[in-house]
């Protein structure tokens, strides 16, 4: 078993403790330890925020409009489709957009590259990774990270009308400076709510309406990256995975902590099925009555499986890996065999998982991913105001 596999198993074990799936034996005592660590983490997060607010830690201002899109919890809010919608809308209005990502779990640079950066004393010696220049994808998902690669692929334009650039660097200020030299006039900080080093002009916070703040505990005892009261930094709050039903209590809770932020409700709407190995697409109705095997490595696999069932599919076999898991050919072949043995007619996965799949083994069932896009349900006027504010910035 590789170190990556061990790390993922340990991560999954901790997640099960946090979710209350493991309560007895060692898990019970580990939870006490996690609670203590979460208290320390809470203090560290608030101290860091206080140092930025006091000016002791410097917050950089860059020479163009910066909009941050992020969340309080660790994944599962559907951030990537919202970033895509925002980038696509701004590009259509004539803005030259660059998305800045840290490239979570992307392949690190060669060791000699990193040594070169350290000993030169100049971080700009190692330039950011350009995943897309707006007209073509320049890196694969392993080098870029799955989310930046997916955004790059979906936001391509032409030489006459370029799409959004996608730039990866842990130092988002350096990445943004580079993007500006290449013509960007609007920067989107992907997963930027906690990135305080670069000052945003607009802060967009995403909240999962189906499970807003998990158990209200900070990492590693819960899923919160920072205390709930810090949502007061948000200018706009997107309630994702909304079904249009009344969210009166959640809205009231949010308004208590942030009376001025405008609230926008949206949902992730399935559009079509895309074959992994080719350009073939299928209408959503293709799933009706089909026996499928569900494969995913995302933060909230239940929401993906719910989509499949709502579209009329029967899930006869499913397997879930740790979030951002990078698949190996052997485990994919084993999954394919188990799916066939269970009577599945096809394999369904998410778009985010699709970019991490290796070459499909021979004889595997037809494999598709579900294309999902954002639909604004309530607060479209607020969304238009947000876009207009960015365009005028």
């Amino acid at each position: 078993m590789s170190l990556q596999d061990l790390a993922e198993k340990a991560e999954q074990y901790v997640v099960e403790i946090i979710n209350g799936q493991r309560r007895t034996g060692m898990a019970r005592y580990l939870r006490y330890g996690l609670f203590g660590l979460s208290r320390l983490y809470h203090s560290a997060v608030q101290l860091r925020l206080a140092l930025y607010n006091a000016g002791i830690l410097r917050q950089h201002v860059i020479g163009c409009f910066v909009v941050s899109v992020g969340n309080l919890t660790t994944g599962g809010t559907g951030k990537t489709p919202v970033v895509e919608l925002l980038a696509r809308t701004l590009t259509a209005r004539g803005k030259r957009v660059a998305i800045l990502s840290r490239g979570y779990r992307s392949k690190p640079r060669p060791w000699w590259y990193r040594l070169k950066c350290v000993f030169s004393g100049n971080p700009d010696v190692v330039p950011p990774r350009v995943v897309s220049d707006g007209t073509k994808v320049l890196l694969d998902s392993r080098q870029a990270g799955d989310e930046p690669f997916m955004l790059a692929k979906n936001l391509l334009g032409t030489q006459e009308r370029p799409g959004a650039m996608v730039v990866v660097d842990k130092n988002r200020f350096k990445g943004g400076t580079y993007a500006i030299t290449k013509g960007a006039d609007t920067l989107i900080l992907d997963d930027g709510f906690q990135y305080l080093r670069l000052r945003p002009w607009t802060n967009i916070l995403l909240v999962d309406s189906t499970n807003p703040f998990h158990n209200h505990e900070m990492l590693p005892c819960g899923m919160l990256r920072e205390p709930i009261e810090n949502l007061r930094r948000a200018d706009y709050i997107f309630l994702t995975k909304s079904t249009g039903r009344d969210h009166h209590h959640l809205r009231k809770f949010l308004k208590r902590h942030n009376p001025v932020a405008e609230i926008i409700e949206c949902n992730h709407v399935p559009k079509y099925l895309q074959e992994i190995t080719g350009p073939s697409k299928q209408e959503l109705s293709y799933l009706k009555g089909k026996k499928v095997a569900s494969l995913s490595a995302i933060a909230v696999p239940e929401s993906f499986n719910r989509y499949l069932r709502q579209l009329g599919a029967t899930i006869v076999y499913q397997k879930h890996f740790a979030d951002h898991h990078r698949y190996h050919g052997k485990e994919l072949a084993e999954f394919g065999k188990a799916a066939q043995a269970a009577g599945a007619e096809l394999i369904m996965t998410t778009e985010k998982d699709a970019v991490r799949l290796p070459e499909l083994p021979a004889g595997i069932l037809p494999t598709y991913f579900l294309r999902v896009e954002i639909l604004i349900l309530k607060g479209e006027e607020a969304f238009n105001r947000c876009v207009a504010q960015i365009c005028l910035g």
Side-chain angles (χ1 to χ4, degrees), residues 19-84:
N19 289 336
Q21 295 164 291
R22 293 179 181 267
R23 297 175 180 272
T24 58
M26 181 61 69
R28 179 184 178 186
Y29 299 104
L30 281 174
R31 184 170 179 82
Y32 293 142
L34 294 175
F35 180 78
L37 290 173
S38 73
R39 299 295 92 192
L40 294 174
Y41 182 64
H42 178 283
S43 300
V45 166
Q46 294 301 80
L47 174 61
R48 175 173 174 264
L49 181 60
L51 292 175
Y52 272 107
N53 289 338
I56 297 171
L57 292 178
R58 183 185 173 193
Q59 196 169 37
H60 296 273
V61 176
I62 206 164
C64 72
F65 199 96
V66 179
V67 54
S68 167
V69 181
N71 45 34
L72 288 181
T73 55
T74 57
T77 57
K79 173 177 54 61
T80 303
V82 173
V83 171
E84 182 180 331

Side-chain angles (χ1 to χ4, degrees), residues 346-366:
L346 65 149
I347 294 171
M348 288 299 305
T349 190
T350 71
E351 187 174 6
K352 193 178 293 187
D353 285 293
V355 303
R356 287 185 259 114
L357 291 177
E359 183 178 350
L360 298 183
I364 197 168
L365 292 168

Side-chain angles (χ1 to χ4, degrees), residues 81-95 97 155 161 164 188 374 376 383-384 386-388 390-391:
V82 173
V83 171
E84 182 180 331
L85 172 67
L86 185 61
R88 196 182 298 281
T89 305
L90 291 171
T91 301
R93 298 199 184 187
K95 304 302 287 185
V97 177
L155 292 169
R161 293 178 62 86
I188 298 177
I374 286 291
I376 304 292
F383 178 73
N384 290 333
C386 175
V387 170
I390 297 169
C391 289

Side-chain angles (χ1 to χ4, degrees), residues 280-298:
S280 174
K281 294 181 182 179
Q282 296 285 356
E283 298 290 334
L284 296 175
S285 58
Y286 180 72
L287 277 179
K288 190 172 181 62
K290 290 285 194 305
K291 295 179 180 179
V292 307
S294 169
L295 177 67
S296 64
I298 55 176

Side-chain angles (χ1 to χ4, degrees), residues 210-380:
T210 64
N211 187 16
F213 308 109
H214 194 252
N215 59 6
H216 288 224
E217 294 289 349
M218 294 275 289
L219 288 168
C221 193
M223 294 296 186
L224 287 173
R225 295 174 171 181
E226 54 183 306
I228 293 172
E229 61 265 25
N230 287 4
L231 62 83
R232 60 177 174 264
R233 298 204 307 274
D235 299 300
Y236 296 89
I237 298 174
F238 277 63
L239 289 184
T240 63
K241 304 180 185 178
S242 174
T243 58
R245 65 181 179 86
D246 185 22
H247 292 292
H248 171 73
H249 294 294
L250 178 56
R251 281 175 168 268
K252 187 176 178 181
F253 180 86
L254 295 172
K255 283 295 185 183
R256 187 164 72 245
H257 289 287
N258 188 333
V260 299
E262 297 202 71
I263 298 176
I264 300 164
E265 290 188 35
C266 60
N267 195 13
H268 297 69
V269 179
K271 303 299 287 187
Y272 56 83
L273 314 182
Q274 174 70 60
E275 191 174 15
I276 298 288
T277 55
S280 174
K281 294 181 182 179
Q282 296 285 356
E283 298 290 334
L284 296 175
S285 58
Y286 180 72
L287 277 179
K288 190 172 181 62
K290 290 285 194 305
K291 295 179 180 179
V292 307
S294 169
L295 177 67
S296 64
I298 55 176
V300 188
E302 296 83 6
S303 59
F304 172 61
N305 289 339
R306 186 163 55 248
Y307 284 138
L308 299 181
R309 294 189 181 99
Q310 287 171 350
L311 292 169
T314 300
I315 301 173
V316 295
Y317 182 70
Q318 60 181 293
K319 193 169 180 65
H320 172 62
F321 293 88
D323 195 14
H324 294 277
H325 173 76
R326 190 159 291 278
Y327 298 94
H328 306 294
K330 182 181 177 182
E331 63 193 8
L332 198 58
E334 290 173 352
F335 177 85
K337 289 177 182 176
Q340 281 185 310
E345 300 169 73
L346 65 149
I347 294 171
M348 288 299 305
T349 190
T350 71
E351 187 174 6
K352 193 178 293 187
D353 285 293
V355 303
R356 287 185 259 114
L357 291 177
E359 183 178 350
L360 298 183
I364 197 168
L365 292 168
T367 305
Y368 294 85
F369 71 76
L370 185 65
R371 170 65 179 168
V372 175
E373 295 178 6
I374 286 291
L375 176 67
I376 304 292
L377 300 177
K378 294 181 182 178
E380 190 167 355

